[in-house]
Amino acid sequence: YGPQTSAGRPYYMSTSPSTDLLRSFRYRAYGLNGAVLAATGVEDHAAFCSEVSELMKGSAAGTPDKADIFTYIGGESRVAAPSTGYAHVALAFEMKAPSAVASVVKHALSLAGLSAGVEAFVTPGLVGVYAGSEDGAGLVEALAATVSTKFSADIIKRAKGLAKIEALMAIDGGSQMLAETMTASILESGSFSGPADVAKTYDSISDSAVSSAVADMLKSNPSLAAVGDISMVPYQASISF
């Protein structure tokens, strides 16, 4: 949240960290436990693994703290700038479904909100919708209507196709994109198989899986972010589904 608000933990410490504290953090956060090494263009896998093992044999394994269990509670951030005469609003929800299902939901929401100028987005653990307009009140109504849409079989089919193409293009987007895709897959599922299995993953997503993901998503408290001329934008607490 930064120093401008008392909500959550501030970015900045009131006192300078000690050397021992920095060393302790480095040992816990930058050890081999929980690390993922992704490499592309390797012709001799065995030689590569041998070299990596040799270079990293002296590295600390690390002792990461026990993972905390966090509860998503939603929230709100508003930055008023009336002189702009325009409002930007984003509405996001918790998404517990696998990333492939979340991507399909994102594309389905974009298709459902296309005529209203609503776009969807996805980040780890969240799926949301965004739009901009001079009418702040009508903007939230459009976002709410989009996320409340009951997807038809046709929309889900088109969304699956778009999500699959997006995933396959990411794999074919160069070494960096491929490495990022591999890392994300390993962190989520523990493995990465390649384009054929990525395509199968999206093809196997059922309509009911998408509908269930949306239903669970709408049970969470929304997170609302509003910027600009937002005097008519409803507050997060007044939005329900």
Side-chain angles (χ1 to χ4, degrees):
Y1 293 93
Q4 72 273 19
T5 173
S6 60
R9 297 179 178 177
Y11 285 137
Y12 306 103
M13 300 179 67
S14 57
T15 58
S16 299
S18 67
T19 301
D20 288 342
L21 181 61
L22 290 174
R23 285 173 177 165
S24 174
F25 172 77
R26 180 181 182 277
Y27 184 78
R28 287 184 291 108
Y30 294 94
L32 298 183
N33 265 339
V36 175
L37 174 63
T40 62
V42 177
E43 295 184 358
D44 190 334
H45 183 261
F48 173 76
C49 291
S50 177
E51 183 71 11
V52 169
S53 298
E54 178 65 24
L55 292 173
M56 291 189 170
K57 66 180 181 181
S59 301
T63 55
D65 296 331
K66 183 179 179 181
D68 293 325
I69 298 176
F70 297 98
T71 300
Y72 172 81
I73 60 173
E76 180 168 26
S77 177
R78 302 170 73 95
V79 178
S83 61
T84 63
Y86 202 83
H88 302 270
V89 179
L91 199 62
F93 302 83
E94 183 180 27
M95 173 57 64
K96 296 180 179 179
S99 60
V101 176
S103 181
V104 173
V105 171
K106 179 195 76 170
H107 285 287
L109 288 171
S110 289
L111 290 170
L114 187 62
S115 60
V118 174
E119 296 180 28
F121 60 89
V122 62
T123 62
L126 290 177
V127 169
V129 285
Y130 157 82
S133 171
E134 297 177 355
D135 179 12
L139 195 57
V140 173
E141 290 178 2
L143 296 177
T146 298
V147 298
S148 300
T149 300
K150 185 175 181 180
F151 299 141
S152 65
D154 180 62
I155 282 184
I156 294 177
K157 180 180 178 181
R158 291 165 61 193
K160 286 171 61 177
L162 290 169
K164 180 169 68 173
I165 290 172
E166 183 178 61
L168 292 174
M169 288 183 67
I171 294 176
D172 196 37
S175 295
Q176 180 177 342
M177 285 295 296
L178 176 57
E180 291 175 359
T181 302
M182 292 166 61
T183 302
S185 176
I186 291 169
L187 287 173
E188 181 175 13
S189 65
S191 65
F192 177 77
S193 302
D197 286 330
V198 168
K200 288 179 182 177
T201 297
Y202 285 92
D203 290 337
S204 66
I205 296 173
S206 65
D207 290 9
S208 61
V210 176
S211 298
S212 294
V214 174
D216 290 341
M217 176 187 87
L218 293 178
K219 292 176 183 177
S220 69
N221 253 348
S223 291
L224 183 145
V227 180
D229 186 5
I230 57 176
S231 58
M232 298 303 292
V233 174
Y235 282 85
Q236 179 256 16
S238 67
I239 303 173
S240 60
F241 297 90

